[in-house]
Amino acid sequence: GDLTRSIQVDARGEVAELKDNINTMIGNLRLTTQRNTEQDWLKTNLARFTNMLQGQRDLTTVGRLLLTELTPLVNAQQGVIYQMESEEAAALKLLSAYADDGAIGHPPAIRLGEGLIGQCAMDKRRVLVTELANVVPIGSALFKATPYNVVILPVLFENNVKAVIELASVNPFTALQTTFLEQLTTSIGIVLNSIEATMQTEGLLKQSQELAGELQTQQTELQQTNEQLEQKAQQLAERNVEVERKNQEIEQARRAVEEKAA
């Protein structure tokens, strides 16, 4: 079962052919085992992130969870995620950061086409930068290290950019890690779109409730106004009756005076 070993003997004829066949078999088994292990790692972690993000309703929480779990998983040391604002704004805003540099930090907003993150959002394509130099170091209380690789990934849903993730590492990203990141962004896009749709629905519901409350207040005020108008109308009617009564008294007095004069 040790697939790291091979047969190393000097042989000729059938024994040499047998040795070559066995070594070939060992190599094939080693590649197959490695591929199966990589696929198991890929599927397991994709399922883990899907379960972790399922049911989340807050974008900030999703951004923090993603970077907290994703950055060390792909052997990165720094990470940042920017959320796409409305299409009219044409900009991305900082959602969350991992191992942020307190002195420099990340810009709170990036326009489309600005820098690699803005360009990634505009082109909707992954950006991989290797062998970096003269960049902001990955810092800690004990050391500072220069990142070797940076990968920038667009998070898409139905070809619409929902976010952009940037990860920096002192080691090169492997093909397996890159494949995992590309597949994961699809799941992230679905989650972000679902949260945005839920937030929009809740916003519309809240707005509807506020409008209903305002309408109820207006109806109450209108009812009170109508009651006041009814009271004033009743008072006016009572005054009219009083005026009519006084007019009748005046008319009776006038007639009495005329009769006496006659």
Side-chain angles (χ1 to χ4, degrees):
D2 186 357
L3 301 179
T4 63
R5 301 176 62 183
S6 61
I7 299 175
Q8 302 293 335
V9 296
D10 293 331
R12 296 180 180 178
E14 294 180 355
V15 176
E17 184 177 354
L18 177 61
K19 178 197 72 171
D20 293 339
N21 289 336
I22 291 176
N23 286 339
T24 300
M25 180 187 67
I26 293 173
N28 291 336
L29 285 174
R30 183 168 56 246
L31 290 175
T32 301
T33 303
Q34 180 181 354
R35 289 170 184 163
N36 290 338
T37 301
E38 290 178 350
Q39 287 299 313
D40 288 342
W41 182 90
L42 187 68
K43 293 177 181 178
T44 299
N45 283 291
L46 286 173
R48 181 169 70 89
F49 273 83
T50 300
N51 293 333
M52 179 183 68
L53 298 177
Q54 189 174 9
Q56 294 293 336
R57 299 170 64 101
D58 181 69
L59 290 173
T60 303
T61 302
V62 169
R64 178 178 53 80
L65 282 175
L66 273 174
L67 294 182
T68 301
E69 298 294 331
L70 179 61
T71 307
L73 180 64
V74 295
N75 199 24
Q77 288 75 41
Q78 275 187 340
V80 64
I81 179 170
Y82 280 84
Q83 177 197 355
M84 186 69 183
E85 293 185 320
S86 62
E87 295 183 0
E88 294 79 9
L92 301 105
K93 66 178 181 179
L94 180 63
L95 187 61
S96 184
Y98 181 92
D100 190 10
D101 191 311
I104 300 177
H106 304 284
I110 296 177
R111 297 188 304 274
L112 288 183
E114 180 182 0
L116 288 179
I117 290 180
Q119 193 64 43
C120 175
M122 180 176 289
D123 296 340
K124 303 178 182 179
R125 290 200 303 263
R126 185 198 73 187
V127 178
L128 179 63
V129 184
T130 61
E131 301 180 4
L132 297 172
N134 299 323
V135 295
V136 177
I138 298 172
S140 178
L142 300 178
F143 71 93
K144 286 187 180 295
T146 301
Y148 181 85
N149 268 16
V150 168
V151 62
I152 306 172
L153 303 130
V155 178
L156 304 177
F157 179 80
E158 295 181 351
N159 204 37
N160 293 321
V161 178
K162 295 297 179 180
V164 174
I165 298 175
E166 181 179 21
L167 299 170
S169 175
V170 297
N171 302 303
F173 291 106
T174 66
L176 176 62
Q177 291 170 342
T178 303
T179 301
F180 169 72
L181 291 171
E182 290 179 343
Q183 294 186 18
L184 180 64
T185 53
T186 302
S187 300
I188 297 173
I190 296 173
V191 171
L192 293 182
N193 183 76
S194 176
I195 294 176
E196 289 177 357
T198 301
M199 292 176 63
Q200 290 177 357
T201 302
E202 291 178 348
L204 292 174
L205 178 60
K206 183 178 180 180
Q207 185 179 3
S208 176
Q209 291 174 344
E210 291 176 351
L211 291 175
E214 292 177 359
L215 181 60
Q216 182 64 33
T217 302
Q218 292 176 358
Q219 289 178 345
T220 302
E221 293 175 351
L222 181 60
Q223 184 176 358
Q224 293 175 351
T225 302
N226 290 335
E227 290 177 353
Q228 292 175 358
L229 290 175
E230 289 178 359
Q231 292 176 357
K232 291 181 179 180
Q234 184 176 0
Q235 292 174 357
L236 181 60
E238 292 175 352
R239 287 181 182 179
N240 290 336
V241 171
E242 182 67 19
V243 170
E244 182 65 24
R245 185 179 62 80
K246 289 183 177 181
N247 288 335
Q248 291 177 357
E249 290 177 354
I250 293 171
E251 181 65 23
Q252 290 176 358
R254 185 182 64 78
R255 291 178 180 176
V257 170
E258 289 179 352
E259 290 176 355
K260 288 181 179 181

